[in-house]
Amino acid sequence: MGSPPRASVHDAAHWDQRYADPARVPFVAPEPVVTDVVADVVAGVPGACGTALDIACGEGRHAVWLAEQGWRVTAIDFSAAGIATGRALGAAHGVDVEWVVGDVRTWRPAAAYDLVLACFVHLEEQTLRSVRSWLAPGGHLVLVSHGAGPGGPGPRFRTTVAAMRERAGDLEVLECREVAGEAERSSRILLHARRPA
């Protein structure tokens, strides 16, 4: 009898197993590149936070941080274990987040969002087209991926500034740059784009 098939990094079973590992220490602090660019979105505009969607939210660190800043947040991930950790993190921080167990490749929102965040998730072009369409007029898209350097995933899940810029599609690119990594971390590639109002 052969061994059972290994879970793919693209399926929920893999991430459920990873997030449920009792030896795992969840990431709690948001990525600095995320906090910096989201702060710029609302800089000087009191009460400007609106609705936000955190795609492939993992264990919920960015969703919770966004809610703490005043955004009304929906967070989606296909890992029920990740969502459970995120829900507990949100409760510990005293914030409300709409947690959704679902696959962004097939899920559809009920309304458009003012901010859509996707941090360290590889989205195929067909899914990206859907994601871009979920932005309200004037809405912001923030994508963060791994670039060059140590740490992080294999080459397939890394990108470049030029490749990231293409992911904006018909949106207005406000910023697309590489952010140097620290210590044993890969660099980050940031795309910040906006749907015309």
Side-chain angles (χ1 to χ4, degrees), residues 148-152 158 183-188:
R158 296 174 185 260
E184 296 302 311
R185 304 171 70 198
S186 64
S187 65
R188 274 63 172 131

Side-chain angles (χ1 to χ4, degrees), residues 84-105:
T85 302
R87 186 175 285 114
L89 181 65
H93 284 247
V95 294
D96 291 324
V97 173
E98 180 187 3
W99 300 101
V100 178
V101 177
D103 190 329
V104 71
R105 293 169 293 188

Side-chain angles (χ1 to χ4, degrees), residues 160-162 164-165 173-178 189-192:
T160 64
V161 170
M164 185 69 105
R165 183 177 290 271
V173 176
L174 301 178
E175 186 176 15
C176 190
R177 61 186 172 90
E178 185 168 16
I189 309 294
L190 164 70
L191 170 67
H192 177 199

Side-chain angles (χ1 to χ4, degrees), residues 12-25:
H14 167 87
W15 290 100
D16 281 341
Q17 184 178 40
R18 179 171 176 175
Y19 292 142
D21 183 349
R24 176 178 171 78
V25 177

Side-chain angles (χ1 to χ4, degrees), residues 24-37:
R24 176 178 171 78
V25 177
F27 288 109
V28 175
E31 279 285 319
V33 67
V34 170
T35 61
D36 289 347
V37 73

Side-chain angles (χ1 to χ4, degrees), residues 132 135 138-142 165 167-176 191-197:
R132 292 191 295 260
L135 288 170
H140 294 256
L141 175 68
V142 176
R165 183 177 290 271
R167 297 180 186 177
D170 59 354
L171 304 180
E172 174 191 4
V173 176
L174 301 178
E175 186 176 15
C176 190
L191 170 67
H192 177 199
R194 178 175 60 196
R195 177 171 297 288

